[in-house]
């Protein structure tokens, strides 16, 4: 039997096809060009002396011996950099009442977390710079500190948020519907307090930057391992007073980012200043310990939540308090409030209920900043809602699938607005639930579980439904006054040989941006993919845009590329029409040839059009100016976000003697709209799930009572390794967004969004026979044993 | 400056000449005794394919082949490698020895940012040279010192598994 032809059977149809990433070959040959590999002529190396105290006054700094050391070119303190760098403040206008103290590259009078960079040394090698650090003496006077959430909220306790009466960064309240009435009339109320530990991105390549200021030209070039070069071009320009067009940020290969590499870090800002002070290139690459103490951390929430249900298990209302501790400052320029804000707005998003109340309190403490990291707020929102749904199901004697099937918003009920004001265009919870039930072989797993339980083997099955925020519009940061683009741009040129060069503002960190952009361009233009070259990550070359964050690469970058390609194709066909004395509407391009649209008969190669236009324009009709380079920008319109959805399932086993958890298999059904490259989507999901499993089971930045990070190395901070990770089964539902021609939504955070929730539910399912429950992540063996009262 | 600082700095200044055969070529470099092999490869020899992720033997990004065995180049001083034959990802790539592994990693997208990838490939190469047909469990076990933050590991396991099968079926690619 011959399968019916699909659009994939067209020549040059790449949208929807699992093609490998062209740029991956370089990386496989060890020919990546990461910023940490970069070496420039006259380049010097920076190292930082870091605070051993969580909160202290800097009384004096003596760096004379360090300055005298051979090979040392500069020792700079906070004062030195304050003279040339404008301070920054991590607040956004639309978070009304939000506060955070101004920040400088290095502190001038006070340190506020352990590991904060205090003094910078620039030397001929990193080793010499580190030698010099040992010769610097800093006199600190300890100040009272706040380490945990409760301490920070204590009235009359130490205030670390200078210029403020308390440690509150932000407070918000949502209230829709009649929550108290709903709770009063509810047949069932379930209630729980959850804690979520701090964890961090642990990109395999730590942060890296080379700043190169040329005083003669007045130009600054920064090679920066970042996701968002345009944002940094703007920031370096404004904070160091260099005209924007003279600042160039280049982001080549990046060894992982996950949201961590888009925030302003003190050291990075300092390195730019050091290069300006010296007029030479200065390089800084964080080592692993520095990464742990200075990269942003994420999560750190304590959530108290209640859910009201009627007698049949219909969700009536939710009431939530989210306390989140963000460290000593709010990050810049995206702030540390976004995560909590997303938590309270996403809780319960898959469900139909209308009565919702939530309070968010964002609190300062003497730790490193927390901020946006993959799936911002999602894992917390998802875990809180999904755990309560499971607790309710148990109370009502319902199956986890049944209670969800009863309560999710129906697939035919869109558009919908959530009680928190999010507008959903079209989601597919019902379809996803059904698919998950099938691919898990849910009934089979339950039967096996019951069987094994009799033999003293405790397995758990957990599911979790989620909604993911992707493709943010200007409503995300722009309205708050942040200069973060929600549009992206592309410049497409036909080369004289008939190939295409595409300069695009979305960036590549391994997720396959360049590959999918070349697929879209090749598909829309009718060329072979190898004839499309995609260039990203250089503000001097590529047009301004938001770049890659919040899952906007495919949905926004892809649409930008699609529209730019269509414009180029129109131009090519217009020239072809002139040459062939034909209507351009009667022509098309297939396999690099202009063809008759109706018959597909080849008329002439695209390369011939390029040759004529570039080298023999004299043969074109008078007045013709061939436009074989087009530029196009695209900003999302319509819905403010392209929400996606999906559901995850997890099967695991707990050793009740040791508390060890083994994830046996993980499942996900996910709907990201139009899938451009199924293989890359699946790998995004797998990578995301594994990050979520890390958070669920291992990862936590643990601090002592005095604010010392106690596990700042890869030997003490556990990350998911191949042995502990399960195989992951994936299925898709496709609900394209109608807001774009392409129809793609984001997918990078879906895996992380629900993994913790899923594991939490599965662990509690496994522990059910013992009447033991756990409501905090990471779920360590100790917590399991404590829940079992065996520790 | 007190006396102990001076000794410390003098020691740091001193360099030693080490001779190596790197990727089949004889090289000599001047290294400080405290310099690790990964730093020597990356900085002195400009072989940046070998990466440093943790500098304490936990992540596997720095694996190279030394006298035929995979070793952590972050856990070794360059002086300790004096006289050794070292293959880095660059040399293994050029030799074509791991071409089938690289092709399979590519085909299955068993890498994202690519930072862990040289170490993964060197470890996979070592595994397959010792065990012709490892089980998936054995592959995961062998990779248990190779950290990857981007992938979910599964595609890497799939790729190694596929190469093992293909090599056995074809009488061994190496
Ligand atoms: S850098 Fe050597 S094992 Fe991580
Ligand atoms: S591909 Fe990025 S660390 Fe493995």
């Amino acid at each position: 039997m011959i399968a019916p032809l699909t659009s994939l059977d067209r020549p040059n149809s790449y949208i929807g096809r699992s093609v490998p990433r062209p740029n991956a070959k370089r990386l496989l040959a060890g020919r990546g060009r990461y910023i940490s590999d970069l070496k420039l002529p006259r380049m010097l190396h920076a190292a930082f002396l870091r605070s051993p105290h969580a909160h202290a006054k800097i009384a004096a700094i003596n760096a004379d011996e360090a300055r005298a050391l051979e090979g040392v070119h500069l020792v700079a303190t906070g004062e030195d950099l304050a003279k040339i760098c404008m301070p920054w403040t991590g607040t956004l206008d639309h978070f009304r009442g939000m506060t955070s103290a101004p920040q400088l590259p290095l502190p001038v009078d006070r340190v506020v977390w352990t590991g904060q960079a205090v003094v910078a040394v620039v030397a001929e090698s990193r080793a010499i710079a580190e030698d010099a650090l040992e010769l610097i003496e800093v006199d600190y006077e300890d100040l009272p500190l706040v380490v945990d959430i409760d301490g920070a909220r204590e009235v009359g306790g130490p205030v670390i948020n200078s210029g403020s009466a308390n440690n509150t960064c932000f407070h918000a309240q949502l209230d829709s519907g009649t929550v108290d009435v709903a709770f009063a009339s509810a047949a069932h109320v379930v209630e729980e307090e959850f804690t979520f530990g701090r964890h961090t991105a642990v990109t395999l390549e730590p942060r890296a930057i080379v700043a190169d200021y040329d005083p003669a030209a007045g130009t600054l070039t920064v090679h920066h391992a970042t996701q968002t070069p345009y944002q940094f071009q703007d920031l370096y320009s404004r904070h160091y007073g260099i005209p924007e067009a003279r600042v160039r940020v280049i982001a080549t290969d990046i060894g992982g980012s996950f949201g961590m590499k888009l925030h302003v870090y003190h050291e990075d800002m300092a390195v730019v200043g050091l290069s300006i002070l010296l007029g030479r290139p200065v390089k800084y690459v964080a080592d692993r310990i520095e990464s742990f103490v200075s990269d942003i951390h994420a999560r750190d929430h304590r959530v108290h939540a209640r859910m009201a249900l009627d007698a049949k298990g219909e969700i009536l209302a939710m009431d939530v308090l989210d306390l989140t501790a963000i460290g000593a400052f709010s990050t810049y320029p995206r702030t540390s409030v976004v995560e909590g804000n997303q938590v309270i707005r996403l809780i319960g998003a898959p469900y139909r209920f209308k009565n919702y109340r939530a309070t968010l309190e964002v609190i300062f403490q003497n730790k490193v900043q927390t901020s946006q990291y993959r799936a911002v707020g999602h894992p917390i929102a998802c875990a809180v809602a999904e755990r309560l749904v499971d607790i309710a199901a148990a109370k009502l004697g319902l199956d986890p699938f049944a209670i969800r099937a009863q309560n999710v918003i129906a697939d035919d009920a869109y558009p919908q607005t959530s009680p928190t004001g999010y507008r959903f265009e079209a989601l597919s919870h019902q379809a996803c639930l059904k698919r998950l039930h099938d691919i898990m072989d849910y009934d089979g797993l339950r039967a096996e579980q019951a069987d094994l339980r009799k033999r003293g083997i405790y397995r758990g099955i957990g599911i979790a439904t989620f909604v993911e925020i992707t493709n943010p519009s200007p409503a995300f940061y722009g309205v708050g006054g942040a200069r973060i683009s929600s549009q992206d741009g592309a410049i497409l040129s036909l080369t004289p040989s008939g190939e295409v060069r595409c300069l695009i503002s979305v960036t590549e960190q391994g997720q396959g941006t360049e590959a999918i952009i070349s697929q879209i361009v090749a598909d829309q233009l009718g060329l072979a993919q190898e004839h499309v070259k995609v260039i990203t990550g250089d503000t001097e070359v590529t047009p301004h845009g938001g770049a890659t964050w919040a899952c906007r690469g495919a949905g926004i970058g892809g649409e930008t590329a699609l529209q730019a390609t269509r414009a180029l194709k129109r131009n090519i066909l217009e020239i072809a029409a002139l040459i062939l004395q034909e209507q351009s509407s009667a022509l098309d391009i297939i396999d690099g040839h202009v063809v008759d649209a109706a018959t597909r008969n080849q008329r002439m190669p695209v390369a011939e059009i390029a040759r004529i236009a570039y080298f023999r324009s004299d043969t074109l009709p008078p007045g013709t100016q061939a436009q074989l380079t087009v530029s196009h920008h695209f900003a999302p319109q319509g819905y403010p976000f392209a929400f996606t959805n999906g559901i995850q399932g997890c099967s695991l086993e707990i050793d009740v003697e040791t508390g060890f958890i083994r994830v046996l298999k993980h499942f996900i059904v996910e709907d990201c709209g139009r899938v451009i490259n199924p293989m890359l989507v699946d790998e995004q999901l797998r990578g995301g799930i594994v990050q979520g499993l890390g958070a669920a089971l291992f990862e936590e930045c643990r601090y002592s009572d005095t604010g010392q990070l106690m596990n700042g190395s890869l030997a003490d901070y556990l990350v998911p390794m191949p042995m502990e990770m399960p195989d992951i089964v994936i299925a898709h539902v496709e609900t394209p967004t109608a807001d774009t021609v392409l129809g793609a939504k984001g997918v990078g955070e879906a895996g992380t969004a629900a993994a913790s929730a899923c594991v939490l539910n599965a662990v509690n399912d496994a522990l059910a026979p013992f009447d033991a429950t756990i409501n905090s992540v990471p779920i360590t063996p100790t917590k399991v044993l404590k829940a079992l009262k065996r520790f | 400056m007190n006396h102990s600082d001076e000794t410390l700095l003098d020691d740091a200044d001193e360099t030693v000449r080490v001779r190596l055969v790197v990727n089949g070529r004889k090289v000599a470099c001047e290294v400080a005794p405290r310099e690790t092999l990964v730093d020597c490869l990356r900085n002195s020899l400009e072989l940046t394919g070998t990466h440093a992720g943790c500098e304490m033997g936990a992540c596997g990004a720095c694996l190279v082949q030394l006298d035929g065995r995979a070793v952590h180049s972050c856990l070794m001083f360059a002086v300790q490698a004096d006289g050794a034959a070292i293959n880095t990802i660059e040399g293994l790539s050029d030799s074509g020895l791991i071409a089938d592994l690289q092709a399979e990693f590519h085909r299955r997208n068993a890498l994202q940012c690519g930072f862990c990838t040289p170490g993964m490939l060197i470890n996979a190469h070592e595994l397959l040279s010792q065990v012709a047909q490892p089980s998936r469990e054995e592959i995961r076990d062998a990779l248990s010192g190779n950290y990857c933050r981007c992938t979910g590991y599964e595609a890497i396991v799939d790729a190694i598994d596929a190469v093992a099968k293909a090599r056995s079926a074809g009488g061994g690619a190496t």
Side-chain angles (χ1 to χ4, degrees), chain A residues 61-62 69 108 125 175 204 207 217 231 243 266 296 366 422 433 441 445 458 548 561 609 619 648 667 674 709:
Chain A
I61 297 175
N62 182 352
L69 188 70
V108 289
S125 72
D175 201 343
L204 188 50
R207 288 189 285 121
Q231 172 196 299
H266 300 88
I296 56 111
N366 290 113
Y422 280 149
L433 264 170
D441 180 18
L445 279 182
Y458 294 91
T548 306
I609 297 169
T619 64
Q648 296 189 19
F667 306 84
R674 175 88 64 244
L709 182 64

Side-chain angles (χ1 to χ4, degrees), chain A residues 47-267:
Chain A
F48 294 90
L49 186 70
R50 294 176 182 277
S51 166
H53 303 275
H55 197 195
K57 190 170 149 14
I58 303 170
I61 297 175
N62 182 352
D64 293 344
E65 280 187 27
R67 286 197 177 91
L69 188 70
E70 195 184 320
V72 169
H73 285 245
L74 177 69
V75 177
T77 62
E79 305 275 2
D80 300 323
L81 288 165
K83 287 186 195 127
I84 55 168
C85 180
M86 238 188 38
W88 61 89
T89 308
T91 55
L92 285 170
D93 305 342
H94 65 304
F95 296 131
R96 242 164 275 136
M98 179 177 182
T99 64
S100 181
Q103 301 173 57
L104 281 164
L106 301 174
V108 289
D109 54 2
R110 205 162 58 105
V111 291
V112 286
W113 85 87
T114 308
Q116 182 177 8
V118 180
V119 184
V121 174
V122 186
E124 265 146 39
S125 72
R126 167 79 181 227
I128 296 173
E130 286 186 16
D131 289 342
L133 295 181
E134 294 188 15
L135 304 175
I136 298 173
E137 275 169 29
V138 181
D139 288 342
Y140 294 101
E141 287 165 16
D142 272 331
L143 293 169
L145 63 147
V146 287
V147 177
D148 62 8
I149 293 185
D150 296 321
R153 294 173 81 219
E154 231 160 68
V155 182
V159 175
I160 59 162
N161 181 23
S162 60
S164 175
N166 54 38
N167 292 317
T168 305
C169 168
F170 181 62
H171 184 273
Q173 176 104 35
L174 299 175
D175 201 343
S176 66
T178 49
V179 173
D180 290 327
V181 176
F183 272 93
S185 67
H188 303 280
V189 171
V190 289
E191 180 164 4
E192 198 61 65
E193 179 150 299
F194 301 88
T195 55
F196 299 89
R198 269 180 173 239
H199 54 91
T200 183
V202 203
T203 58
L204 188 50
E205 184 194 34
R207 288 189 285 121
I209 185 168
V210 179
D212 183 6
Y213 180 71
D214 176 347
T219 55
L220 172 71
T221 306
V222 185
H223 304 265
H224 191 169
T226 177
Q227 309 163 230
T228 51
Y230 312 94
Q231 172 196 299
F232 283 102
Q233 177 188 34
D234 172 71
L235 293 173
Y236 296 144
S237 155
R238 282 187 301 127
H239 289 278
Y240 282 106
I242 305 166
E244 191 171 43
R246 292 181 190 276
V247 177
R248 176 181 189 183
V249 177
I250 303 170
T252 54
D253 294 323
I254 316 293
S257 48
F258 317 113
M260 186 276 280
K261 289 179 182 165
L262 51 66
H263 307 286
V264 167
Y265 290 95
H266 300 88
E267 298 89 342

Side-chain angles (χ1 to χ4, degrees), chain A residues 204, chain B residues 111-116 148-151:
Chain A
L204 188 50
Chain B
L111 72 160
Q112 289 185 25
C113 78
F115 204 77
C116 68
C148 175
R149 188 52 146 184
C150 305
T151 70

